[in-house]
Amino acid sequence: MSVQERKERERAGRERLIVATARELAEQQGWDAVTTRRLAERIEYSQPVLYSHFRGKREIIGAVALEGAAEMAAALRAATSAADGPRTRVTALARAYLDFAERNPAVYDAMFQLDGGLAFAKEDTPEPLKDAFAALLESLGEVAGDGVHPGLFTEVFWAALHGLATLTRAGRLPPRDAERRVELLVDRLAML
Protein backbone atom coordinates (compact mmCIF):
# COMPACT_ATOMS: atom_id res chain seq x y z
CA MET A 1 0.00 0.00 0.00
CA SER A 2 1.31 3.40 -0.95
CA VAL A 3 1.66 6.28 1.49
CA GLN A 4 -1.12 8.12 -0.38
CA GLU A 5 -3.49 5.16 -0.09
CA ARG A 6 -2.76 4.87 3.63
CA LYS A 7 -3.42 8.60 4.14
CA GLU A 8 -6.70 8.37 2.22
CA ARG A 9 -7.76 5.36 4.29
CA GLU A 10 -6.89 7.20 7.52
CA ARG A 11 -8.79 10.28 6.36
CA ALA A 12 -11.87 8.20 5.53
CA GLY A 13 -11.60 6.53 8.95
CA ARG A 14 -11.51 9.93 10.67
CA GLU A 15 -14.57 11.05 8.73
CA ARG A 16 -16.47 7.91 9.75
CA LEU A 17 -15.43 8.51 13.36
CA ILE A 18 -16.62 12.13 13.26
CA VAL A 19 -19.99 11.15 11.79
CA ALA A 20 -20.47 8.22 14.18
CA THR A 21 -19.56 10.38 17.18
CA ALA A 22 -21.87 13.21 16.09
CA ARG A 23 -24.68 10.73 15.59
CA GLU A 24 -24.09 9.10 18.98
CA LEU A 25 -23.96 12.44 20.76
CA ALA A 26 -27.11 13.67 18.98
CA GLU A 27 -29.02 10.49 19.85
CA GLN A 28 -27.96 10.77 23.50
CA GLN A 29 -28.27 14.52 24.09
CA GLY A 30 -29.87 16.08 21.02
CA TRP A 31 -28.37 18.07 18.15
CA ASP A 32 -27.81 21.14 20.30
CA ALA A 33 -25.15 19.16 22.16
CA VAL A 34 -23.24 18.50 18.93
CA THR A 35 -20.59 21.18 18.62
CA THR A 36 -17.27 21.04 16.82
CA ARG A 37 -15.51 21.60 20.13
CA ARG A 38 -17.29 18.72 21.82
CA LEU A 39 -16.73 16.46 18.82
CA ALA A 40 -13.04 17.30 18.74
CA GLU A 41 -12.75 16.43 22.43
CA ARG A 42 -14.62 13.14 22.02
CA ILE A 43 -12.66 11.93 19.02
CA GLU A 44 -9.39 13.26 20.48
CA TYR A 45 -8.46 15.35 17.48
CA SER A 46 -8.05 19.10 17.31
CA GLN A 47 -10.81 21.30 15.92
CA PRO A 48 -8.66 22.17 12.86
CA VAL A 49 -8.50 18.44 12.03
CA LEU A 50 -12.28 18.26 12.28
CA TYR A 51 -12.60 21.33 10.05
CA SER A 52 -10.31 19.70 7.50
CA HIS A 53 -13.09 17.13 6.99
CA PHE A 54 -16.25 19.20 7.48
CA ARG A 55 -16.72 22.97 7.25
CA GLY A 56 -19.01 22.89 10.25
CA LYS A 57 -21.99 21.35 11.95
CA ARG A 58 -24.22 21.76 8.90
CA GLU A 59 -22.00 19.47 6.81
CA ILE A 60 -21.84 16.96 9.67
CA ILE A 61 -25.64 16.93 9.85
CA GLY A 62 -25.68 16.35 6.08
CA ALA A 63 -23.28 13.42 6.41
CA VAL A 64 -25.44 11.88 9.15
CA ALA A 65 -28.52 12.41 6.94
CA LEU A 66 -26.91 10.62 4.00
CA GLU A 67 -25.87 7.73 6.21
CA GLY A 68 -29.39 7.59 7.64
CA ALA A 69 -30.99 7.65 4.19
CA ALA A 70 -28.93 4.63 3.16
CA GLU A 71 -29.92 2.81 6.34
CA MET A 72 -33.58 3.70 5.88
CA ALA A 73 -33.56 2.47 2.28
CA ALA A 74 -32.06 -0.84 3.41
CA ALA A 75 -34.60 -1.18 6.23
CA LEU A 76 -37.53 -0.48 3.91
CA ARG A 77 -36.30 -2.96 1.32
CA ALA A 78 -35.67 -5.62 3.96
CA ALA A 79 -39.17 -5.17 5.38
CA THR A 80 -40.89 -5.31 2.01
CA SER A 81 -38.83 -8.09 0.44
CA ALA A 82 -40.43 -10.78 2.57
CA ALA A 83 -43.95 -9.40 2.17
CA ASP A 84 -46.36 -11.22 -0.10
CA GLY A 85 -48.75 -9.04 -2.06
CA PRO A 86 -49.25 -5.28 -2.33
CA ARG A 87 -51.21 -4.78 0.93
CA THR A 88 -48.67 -6.69 3.00
CA ARG A 89 -45.80 -4.86 1.28
CA VAL A 90 -47.25 -1.39 1.86
CA THR A 91 -48.11 -2.22 5.47
CA ALA A 92 -44.58 -3.54 6.05
CA LEU A 93 -43.16 -0.42 4.42
CA ALA A 94 -45.21 1.89 6.65
CA ARG A 95 -44.25 0.00 9.81
CA ALA A 96 -40.56 -0.07 8.84
CA TYR A 97 -40.56 3.68 8.12
CA LEU A 98 -42.22 4.56 11.41
CA ASP A 99 -39.98 2.14 13.30
CA PHE A 100 -36.87 3.69 11.74
CA ALA A 101 -38.02 7.18 12.74
CA GLU A 102 -38.74 6.03 16.30
CA ARG A 103 -35.47 4.13 16.77
CA ASN A 104 -33.28 6.86 15.23
CA PRO A 105 -34.77 10.22 16.23
CA ALA A 106 -31.58 12.27 15.79
CA VAL A 107 -30.83 10.69 12.43
CA TYR A 108 -34.42 11.25 11.35
CA ASP A 109 -34.10 14.90 12.37
CA ALA A 110 -30.88 15.19 10.37
CA MET A 111 -32.66 13.73 7.35
CA PHE A 112 -35.87 15.75 7.45
CA GLN A 113 -35.91 18.49 10.09
CA LEU A 114 -32.45 20.07 10.18
CA ASP A 115 -30.48 21.94 7.54
CA GLY A 116 -27.75 19.62 6.37
CA GLY A 117 -27.19 21.56 3.16
CA LEU A 118 -28.64 18.75 1.04
CA ALA A 119 -30.81 19.23 -2.02
CA PHE A 120 -34.07 17.31 -2.15
CA ALA A 121 -36.04 16.61 -5.34
CA LYS A 122 -33.46 18.26 -7.58
CA GLU A 123 -30.91 17.14 -10.13
CA ASP A 124 -28.09 17.45 -7.60
CA THR A 125 -29.88 15.46 -4.90
CA PRO A 126 -27.31 13.08 -3.39
CA GLU A 127 -27.70 9.44 -4.38
CA PRO A 128 -28.56 8.11 -0.88
CA LEU A 129 -31.56 10.46 -0.72
CA LYS A 130 -32.70 9.41 -4.19
CA ASP A 131 -32.32 5.77 -3.20
CA ALA A 132 -34.39 6.23 -0.02
CA PHE A 133 -37.18 7.71 -2.13
CA ALA A 134 -36.77 4.87 -4.63
CA ALA A 135 -37.19 2.37 -1.80
CA LEU A 136 -40.57 3.97 -1.05
CA LEU A 137 -41.53 4.15 -4.73
CA GLU A 138 -40.76 0.47 -5.31
CA SER A 139 -43.68 -0.60 -3.12
CA LEU A 140 -45.95 2.41 -3.43
CA GLY A 141 -45.73 2.86 -7.18
CA GLU A 142 -47.60 -0.38 -7.75
CA VAL A 143 -50.59 0.80 -5.68
CA ALA A 144 -50.84 4.39 -6.92
CA GLY A 145 -53.98 3.65 -8.89
CA ASP A 146 -55.10 4.35 -12.41
CA GLY A 147 -54.26 7.80 -13.67
CA VAL A 148 -52.14 8.66 -10.61
CA HIS A 149 -48.45 9.37 -11.13
CA PRO A 150 -46.53 6.85 -8.97
CA GLY A 151 -44.00 9.47 -7.83
CA LEU A 152 -46.72 11.88 -6.78
CA PHE A 153 -48.58 9.16 -4.88
CA THR A 154 -45.32 8.19 -3.17
CA GLU A 155 -44.76 11.81 -2.11
CA VAL A 156 -48.23 12.00 -0.56
CA PHE A 157 -47.88 8.67 1.23
CA TRP A 158 -44.42 9.65 2.45
CA ALA A 159 -45.79 12.97 3.72
CA ALA A 160 -48.45 11.07 5.67
CA LEU A 161 -45.80 8.76 7.17
CA HIS A 162 -43.61 11.73 8.05
CA GLY A 163 -46.56 13.44 9.71
CA LEU A 164 -47.34 10.33 11.75
CA ALA A 165 -43.70 9.94 12.78
CA THR A 166 -43.31 13.58 13.74
CA LEU A 167 -46.62 13.97 15.58
CA THR A 168 -46.20 10.69 17.46
CA ARG A 169 -42.71 11.63 18.57
CA ALA A 170 -43.91 15.05 19.72
CA GLY A 171 -46.56 13.37 21.87
CA ARG A 172 -49.38 14.83 19.78
CA LEU A 173 -50.78 11.40 18.88
CA PRO A 174 -51.41 8.70 21.49
CA PRO A 175 -49.15 5.68 20.91
CA ARG A 176 -51.97 3.22 21.62
CA ASP A 177 -53.51 3.91 18.18
CA ALA A 178 -50.28 3.59 16.17
CA GLU A 179 -51.22 0.31 14.49
CA ARG A 180 -54.71 1.54 13.64
CA ARG A 181 -53.19 4.62 11.97
CA VAL A 182 -51.06 2.39 9.76
CA GLU A 183 -54.14 0.34 8.85
CA LEU A 184 -56.10 3.50 7.99
CA LEU A 185 -53.24 4.84 5.91
CA VAL A 186 -53.00 1.61 3.94
CA ASP A 187 -56.78 1.12 3.67
CA ARG A 188 -57.78 4.67 2.75
CA LEU A 189 -54.79 6.27 1.10
CA ALA A 190 -53.45 3.22 -0.72
CA MET A 191 -56.99 1.81 -0.98
CA LEU A 192 -55.82 -1.73 -0.33
Side-chain angles (χ1 to χ4, degrees):
M1 172 183 308
S2 73
V3 172
Q4 182 63 28
E5 289 171 330
R6 181 182 53 77
K7 286 182 178 185
E8 287 174 13
R9 190 179 72 210
E10 289 171 356
R11 180 174 177 75
R14 279 191 307 273
E15 280 189 15
R16 285 190 303 274
L17 178 62
I18 293 165
V19 171
T21 304
R23 183 175 173 166
E24 179 185 319
L25 188 57
E27 291 292 1
Q28 291 171 352
Q29 299 176 30
W31 278 103
D32 287 342
V34 179
T35 64
T36 53
R37 181 178 185 172
R38 199 177 242 175
L39 284 174
E41 289 171 2
R42 281 213 174 181
I43 64 172
E44 298 180 345
Y45 284 105
S46 67
Q47 282 183 292
V49 169
L50 195 136
Y51 282 116
S52 74
H53 292 275
F54 299 99
R55 283 181 270 178
K57 184 175 175 177
R58 182 178 187 220
E59 283 190 5
I60 294 168
I61 290 169
V64 170
L66 293 176
E67 188 175 271
E71 290 172 12
M72 177 184 274
L76 297 177
R77 287 187 176 109
T80 58
S81 68
D84 185 29
R87 178 179 176 68
T88 308
R89 244 185 319 283
V90 172
T91 301
L93 175 102
R95 286 181 182 139
Y97 184 97
L98 295 171
D99 183 56
F100 181 88
E102 182 182 343
R103 285 184 296 108
N104 305 284
V107 173
Y108 192 82
D109 284 349
M111 292 167 65
F112 301 119
Q113 304 288 98
L114 301 174
D115 179 10
L118 303 174
F120 281 81
K122 297 187 176 168
E123 283 187 32
D124 61 340
T125 297
E127 199 54 44
L129 298 179
K130 289 179 183 178
D131 190 49
F133 185 79
L136 291 166
L137 182 63
E138 289 162 12
S139 292
L140 295 170
E142 71 177 310
V143 299
D146 293 337
V148 178
H149 187 276
L152 185 61
F153 178 78
T154 300
E155 290 172 352
V156 171
F157 199 94
W158 172 31
L161 286 172
H162 176 69
L164 288 174
T166 303
L167 291 170
T168 299
R169 186 165 143 213
R172 303 292 195 265
L173 300 175
R176 70 178 178 276
D177 294 324
E179 188 57 33
R180 183 67 185 125
R181 286 186 199 95
V182 169
E183 290 172 11
L184 281 170
L185 187 62
V186 172
D187 289 345
R188 302 304 168 112
L189 189 58
M191 301 211 294
L192 294 172

